[in-house]
Amino acid sequence: MAQTDFDVAVIGYGPTGLTAASLLGQLGHRVLVVERWPSLYGLPRLTHIDGETARLLSFACDIEEALRDSSPIESYIFYNAKGKRLVDVVDIPSLPMGFPAHISIHQPDIEAAIDRKVRSLPNVTVRQGVELTGLKISAGRVELALRAGDAAETAHARYVFAADGARSFVRAALGIERDDSGFNERWLNIDGERKRPLPASFEETKQYCDPARGHMFLPIGANRQRFEFALLPDEDTDEMERAESAWRILKQYHDVGPDDLRIIRQIVYTFECRMAQSWRSGPVFLGGDAAHTMPPYLGQGACSGIRDAANFAWKLDLVLRNVASPEVLESYEPERRPHVAHIMRTAVMLGKIANTHSRTVAFFRDLAFRFNLFPPPPPFPSLSAGIIQDDRRGAWGKAVGSVPPQGRVRIGDRIARLDDQVGYSFALIAERNPAAVLGPSRMGFLRSLGCRAFTLADDAGAGVERMLDIDRTYSSCLAGKNAAAMVTRPDTNLFGFAAGLKDVADLAEKLQQKLSWHATALAA
């Protein structure tokens, strides 16, 4: 390893680490990736992403390549033992994101697409088959002890982003404990590739909440299938991971056999729900499963890790460029922890519905759903703290910190989704050209921030581009919030709104304050 000094070391090369490495690498920083396994996993552990996560992945890779074997998920219905519908998890409200609200994906395609992007970046060093054996924080730097085969190596980084899984070495080395919700259930996971068409019902995602044995199935992309079965207390894990057990239980519940399916993965998982008590120690940060693990009933484990990476990368970029104060990084955990905690609580709630083993409890559960006494899963929350506008008055209050809808726009001669036009950066979208009210100082700040400024009117000028709102997504958003302009962050969250055009300068000033922006950045 020729280079030993890096801006940031990313530990772990699953979906969270891949995303972090790609974003930070594209931002121009010297990135070291350390992954103990010699290659990408290559099997579909992750099977679902939502439209918001697809937006974030579009910054990290060629999203069309990543989703080439994907399909929309129209429903995810929980049924009782008699096949009566209880709840459709897909009914959780969501805004148009430019992608289907829920997507069945083939994880290896996504990981390969991001990896291809990462390896195109000369400033990113990927070390697979290398194990992290120790880390020491000294004088604001992190010394990493590595082992590659029999050889010991040392590397240094200003910051570390640890996405090294639920059994995180980094978390353990830092002495960070986890809070445990007490949810622990063993399920048998069987992934297969279809040899011939299966009944049309297998194209749906269904969860059967049977006290005798909970089970579910879902499509994986276009030509693969997942089956999961709750294990009973007396069933041995090793026994249930044998092929004969898979064929026995598949035949019993679904009349599926070796002529229908080729098993590509069979494993017993223990679903858990745990949160690290702290996501940071000095210059070392935790993300993904290293920071939080949750049951799979919302399909949000990997989505949450990808959000972690997207939240962290732009903040670290500003700090590494020495244009924003390191205090910006203090917002990472306060922004992400409440969001993840909400999803974890909802996933546990759904898990208890799916894992009820008492027929009496299941009877009253079914009655509660029948008479609409059980509340539907709540929508995901907006950010409630951190780098967002403090003013929550008026029609826009609840939207601040949320992820706005995405539509198609024309900028110059190109028609595309807004994210494809803007990329992983800030954007100011105004009804009319705001340059005059911003003045040279605020326009200089936005330029140094890398913020693209747009007008929806035909009055573009120096530093402000014309945006033709083809789907009327942004004009409708502004009108619905009684606002004249809005600022979005690189991770697609809304920083805030300006009530009138004259208020855009104040909005820019608030953003500058929130970022603890260095005056020298403007002078440069």
Side-chain angles (χ1 to χ4, degrees), residues 252-293:
Q252 177 185 351
Y253 281 88
H254 300 299
D255 196 25
V256 170
D259 292 336
D260 304 299
L261 204 71
R262 180 177 70 87
I263 294 177
I264 57 178
R265 183 169 177 262
Q266 178 181 350
I267 190 169
V268 172
Y269 271 115
T270 298
F271 298 150
E272 63 175 22
C273 190
R274 298 184 180 185
M275 176 90 80
Q277 293 177 354
S278 173
W279 294 18
R280 178 183 187 180
S281 179
V284 181
F285 295 79
L286 304 180
D289 284 355
H292 45 77
T293 57

Coordinates of all heavy atoms in Angstrom, one line a residue, residues 252-293:
Q252 N -44.2 -28.0 2.0 CA -45.3 -28.0 2.9 C -46.2 -26.7 2.8 O -47.4 -26.8 2.8 CB -44.8 -28.1 4.4 CG -45.9 -28.0 5.4 CD -45.3 -28.0 6.8 OE1 -44.1 -28.2 7.0 NE2 -46.1 -27.7 7.8
Y253 N -45.5 -25.5 2.6 CA -46.2 -24.3 2.7 C -46.6 -23.8 1.3 O -47.6 -23.0 1.1 CB -45.4 -23.2 3.4 CG -45.5 -23.4 4.9 CD1 -44.6 -24.2 5.6 CD2 -46.5 -22.7 5.6 CE1 -44.8 -24.3 7.0 CE2 -46.6 -22.8 7.0 CZ -45.7 -23.6 7.7 OH -45.8 -23.8 9.0
H254 N -45.8 -24.1 0.3 CA -45.9 -23.5 -1.0 C -46.0 -24.4 -2.2 O -46.1 -24.0 -3.4 CB -44.8 -22.4 -1.3 CG -44.8 -21.3 -0.2 ND1 -45.9 -20.5 0.0 CD2 -43.8 -21.0 0.7 CE1 -45.6 -19.6 1.0 NE2 -44.3 -19.9 1.4
D255 N -45.8 -25.7 -1.9 CA -45.8 -26.7 -3.0 C -44.7 -26.4 -4.1 O -45.0 -26.5 -5.3 CB -47.2 -26.8 -3.7 CG -47.3 -28.1 -4.5 OD1 -46.6 -29.1 -4.2 OD2 -48.1 -28.1 -5.4
V256 N -43.6 -25.9 -3.6 CA -42.5 -25.6 -4.4 C -41.4 -26.6 -4.2 O -41.0 -27.0 -3.1 CB -41.9 -24.2 -4.1 CG1 -40.6 -23.9 -4.8 CG2 -43.0 -23.1 -4.5
G257 N -40.8 -27.1 -5.3 CA -39.7 -28.1 -5.2 C -38.5 -27.8 -6.1 O -38.5 -26.7 -6.8
P258 N -37.6 -28.7 -6.2 CA -36.4 -28.5 -7.0 C -36.6 -28.3 -8.5 O -35.7 -27.7 -9.2 CB -35.6 -29.8 -6.8 CG -36.1 -30.4 -5.5 CD -37.5 -30.0 -5.5
D259 N -37.7 -28.7 -9.0 CA -38.0 -28.4 -10.4 C -38.4 -27.0 -10.7 O -38.4 -26.5 -11.8 CB -39.2 -29.4 -10.9 CG -38.7 -30.8 -11.0 OD1 -37.5 -31.1 -11.1 OD2 -39.6 -31.7 -10.9
D260 N -38.8 -26.3 -9.6 CA -39.3 -24.9 -9.7 C -38.2 -23.9 -9.4 O -38.2 -22.8 -9.9 CB -40.5 -24.7 -8.7 CG -41.6 -25.7 -8.9 OD1 -42.2 -25.7 -10.0 OD2 -41.9 -26.4 -7.9
L261 N -37.3 -24.3 -8.5 CA -36.4 -23.3 -7.9 C -35.0 -23.9 -7.8 O -34.8 -25.1 -7.5 CB -36.9 -22.9 -6.6 CG -36.6 -21.6 -5.9 CD1 -37.3 -20.4 -6.7 CD2 -37.0 -21.6 -4.5
R262 N -34.0 -23.0 -8.0 CA -32.6 -23.3 -7.6 C -32.2 -22.5 -6.4 O -32.2 -21.3 -6.5 CB -31.7 -23.1 -8.8 CG -30.2 -23.4 -8.4 CD -29.3 -23.2 -9.7 NE -29.1 -21.7 -9.9 CZ -28.2 -20.9 -9.4 NH1 -27.4 -21.4 -8.5 NH2 -28.2 -19.7 -9.7
I263 N -31.9 -23.1 -5.3 CA -31.6 -22.4 -4.1 C -30.2 -21.8 -4.2 O -29.2 -22.5 -4.5 CB -31.7 -23.3 -2.8 CG1 -33.1 -23.8 -2.6 CG2 -31.1 -22.6 -1.6 CD1 -33.3 -24.7 -1.4
I264 N -30.1 -20.5 -4.0 CA -28.8 -19.8 -4.1 C -28.4 -19.3 -2.7 O -27.2 -18.9 -2.6 CB -28.9 -18.6 -5.1 CG1 -30.0 -17.6 -4.7 CG2 -29.2 -19.1 -6.5 CD1 -30.1 -16.4 -5.6
R265 N -29.2 -19.3 -1.7 CA -28.8 -18.9 -0.4 C -29.8 -19.4 0.6 O -31.0 -19.3 0.4 CB -28.8 -17.4 -0.3 CG -28.3 -16.8 1.0 CD -28.1 -15.3 0.8 NE -27.7 -14.6 2.0 CZ -28.5 -13.9 2.8 NH1 -29.8 -13.8 2.5 NH2 -28.0 -13.3 3.8
Q266 N -29.3 -20.0 1.7 CA -30.2 -20.6 2.8 C -29.4 -20.3 4.1 O -28.3 -20.8 4.3 CB -30.4 -22.1 2.5 CG -31.2 -22.7 3.6 CD -31.4 -24.2 3.4 OE1 -31.1 -24.7 2.3 NE2 -31.9 -24.9 4.4
I267 N -30.1 -19.5 5.0 CA -29.4 -19.2 6.2 C -30.5 -18.8 7.3 O -31.6 -18.4 6.9 CB -28.5 -18.0 6.0 CG1 -27.6 -17.7 7.2 CG2 -29.3 -16.7 5.6 CD1 -26.5 -16.7 6.9
V268 N -30.1 -19.1 8.5 CA -31.0 -18.7 9.6 C -30.5 -17.4 10.2 O -29.3 -17.3 10.5 CB -31.0 -19.8 10.7 CG1 -31.7 -19.3 12.0 CG2 -31.7 -21.1 10.2
Y269 N -31.4 -16.4 10.2 CA -31.1 -15.1 10.8 C -31.7 -15.0 12.2 O -32.9 -15.5 12.4 CB -31.6 -14.0 9.9 CG -30.7 -13.5 8.8 CD1 -31.0 -13.7 7.5 CD2 -29.5 -12.9 9.2 CE1 -30.1 -13.3 6.5 CE2 -28.6 -12.5 8.2 CZ -28.9 -12.7 6.8 OH -28.1 -12.2 5.9
T270 N -31.1 -14.3 13.1 CA -31.7 -13.8 14.3 C -32.0 -12.4 14.1 O -31.1 -11.5 14.1 CB -30.8 -14.1 15.5 OG1 -30.6 -15.5 15.7 CG2 -31.5 -13.6 16.8
F271 N -33.3 -12.0 14.0 CA -33.6 -10.6 13.9 C -33.5 -9.9 15.2 O -34.0 -10.4 16.2 CB -35.1 -10.5 13.4 CG -35.3 -11.1 12.0 CD1 -36.5 -11.6 11.7 CD2 -34.3 -11.1 11.1 CE1 -36.8 -12.2 10.4 CE2 -34.5 -11.7 9.8 CZ -35.8 -12.2 9.5
E272 N -32.8 -8.8 15.2 CA -32.6 -8.0 16.5 C -32.9 -6.6 16.2 O -33.0 -6.1 15.1 CB -31.2 -8.2 17.0 CG -30.2 -7.7 16.0 CD -28.7 -7.8 16.6 OE1 -28.5 -8.6 17.5 OE2 -27.9 -7.0 16.1
C273 N -33.0 -5.8 17.3 CA -33.2 -4.4 17.2 C -32.3 -3.7 18.3 O -32.7 -3.7 19.5 CB -34.7 -4.1 17.5 SG -35.1 -2.4 17.1
R274 N -31.2 -3.2 17.8 CA -30.2 -2.6 18.8 C -29.7 -1.3 18.2 O -29.5 -1.1 17.0 CB -29.1 -3.5 19.0 CG -29.5 -4.9 19.6 CD -28.3 -5.7 19.9 NE -28.7 -7.0 20.5 CZ -27.8 -7.9 21.0 NH1 -26.5 -7.7 20.9 NH2 -28.3 -9.0 21.5
M275 N -29.4 -0.3 19.1 CA -28.9 1.0 18.7 C -27.7 1.3 19.5 O -27.7 1.1 20.8 CB -30.0 2.1 19.0 CG -29.5 3.5 18.7 SD -29.8 4.0 17.0 CE -31.5 4.5 17.2
A276 N -26.6 1.7 18.8 CA -25.4 2.1 19.5 C -25.7 3.3 20.4 O -26.4 4.2 20.0 CB -24.3 2.5 18.5
Q277 N -25.1 3.3 21.6 CA -25.4 4.4 22.6 C -24.8 5.7 22.1 O -25.2 6.8 22.5 CB -24.9 4.0 24.0 CG -25.7 2.9 24.6 CD -25.2 2.4 25.9 OE1 -24.1 2.9 26.4 NE2 -25.9 1.5 26.6
S278 N -23.8 5.6 21.3 CA -23.2 6.8 20.7 C -22.7 6.4 19.3 O -22.3 5.3 19.1 CB -22.0 7.3 21.5 OG -21.3 8.4 20.8
W279 N -22.8 7.4 18.4 CA -22.4 7.1 17.0 C -21.1 7.7 16.7 O -20.6 7.7 15.5 CB -23.5 7.6 16.0 CG -24.8 6.9 16.1 CD1 -25.3 6.2 17.1 CD2 -25.8 7.0 15.0 NE1 -26.6 5.7 16.8 CE2 -26.9 6.2 15.5 CE3 -25.9 7.6 13.8 CZ2 -28.1 6.1 14.8 CZ3 -27.1 7.5 13.1 CH2 -28.1 6.7 13.5
R280 N -20.4 8.2 17.7 CA -19.2 9.0 17.4 C -18.2 8.9 18.6 O -18.6 8.9 19.8 CB -19.5 10.4 17.1 CG -18.2 11.3 16.9 CD -18.5 12.7 16.7 NE -17.3 13.5 16.3 CZ -17.3 14.8 16.1 NH1 -18.4 15.5 16.2 NH2 -16.2 15.4 15.8
S281 N -16.9 8.8 18.3 CA -15.9 9.0 19.3 C -14.8 9.8 18.6 O -14.0 9.3 17.8 CB -15.4 7.6 19.8 OG -14.3 7.8 20.7
G282 N -14.7 11.1 18.9 CA -13.7 11.9 18.3 C -13.9 12.0 16.8 O -15.0 12.2 16.3
P283 N -12.9 11.6 16.0 CA -13.0 11.7 14.5 C -13.5 10.4 13.9 O -13.5 10.2 12.7 CB -11.5 11.9 14.1 CG -10.7 11.2 15.1 CD -11.5 11.4 16.4
V284 N -14.0 9.5 14.8 CA -14.6 8.2 14.3 C -16.1 8.2 14.4 O -16.6 8.4 15.5 CB -14.0 7.0 15.1 CG1 -14.5 5.7 14.5 CG2 -12.4 7.0 15.0
F285 N -16.8 7.8 13.3 CA -18.2 7.8 13.3 C -18.7 6.4 12.9 O -18.1 5.7 12.1 CB -18.7 8.9 12.2 CG -18.4 10.3 12.6 CD1 -17.1 10.8 12.4 CD2 -19.4 11.1 13.2 CE1 -16.8 12.1 12.7 CE2 -19.1 12.4 13.5 CZ -17.8 12.9 13.3
L286 N -19.9 6.1 13.4 CA -20.5 4.8 13.0 C -21.7 5.1 12.1 O -22.4 6.1 12.2 CB -21.1 4.1 14.3 CG -20.1 3.8 15.4 CD1 -20.8 3.1 16.6 CD2 -18.9 3.0 15.0
G287 N -21.9 4.1 11.2 CA -23.1 4.2 10.3 C -23.6 2.8 9.9 O -22.9 1.8 10.2
G288 N -24.8 2.7 9.4 CA -25.3 1.4 9.0 C -25.5 0.5 10.2 O -25.8 0.9 11.3
D289 N -25.4 -0.8 10.0 CA -25.6 -1.8 11.1 C -24.6 -1.6 12.2 O -24.9 -2.1 13.3 CB -25.5 -3.2 10.5 CG -26.7 -3.6 9.7 OD1 -27.6 -2.8 9.6 OD2 -26.6 -4.7 9.1
A290 N -23.5 -1.0 12.0 CA -22.6 -0.7 13.2 C -23.3 0.2 14.2 O -23.0 0.2 15.4 CB -21.3 -0.1 12.7
A291 N -24.2 1.1 13.7 CA -24.9 2.1 14.6 C -26.2 1.6 15.0 O -26.7 1.9 16.0 CB -25.0 3.4 13.9
H292 N -26.9 0.8 14.1 CA -28.3 0.4 14.4 C -28.6 -0.9 13.6 O -28.3 -1.0 12.4 CB -29.2 1.5 14.0 CG -28.9 2.1 12.7 ND1 -29.3 1.6 11.5 CD2 -28.3 3.3 12.4 CE1 -28.9 2.3 10.5 NE2 -28.3 3.4 11.0
T293 N -29.3 -1.8 14.2 CA -29.9 -3.0 13.5 C -31.3 -3.0 13.9 O -31.8 -2.6 14.9 CB -29.2 -4.3 14.0 OG1 -29.3 -4.4 15.4 CG2 -27.7 -4.3 13.6

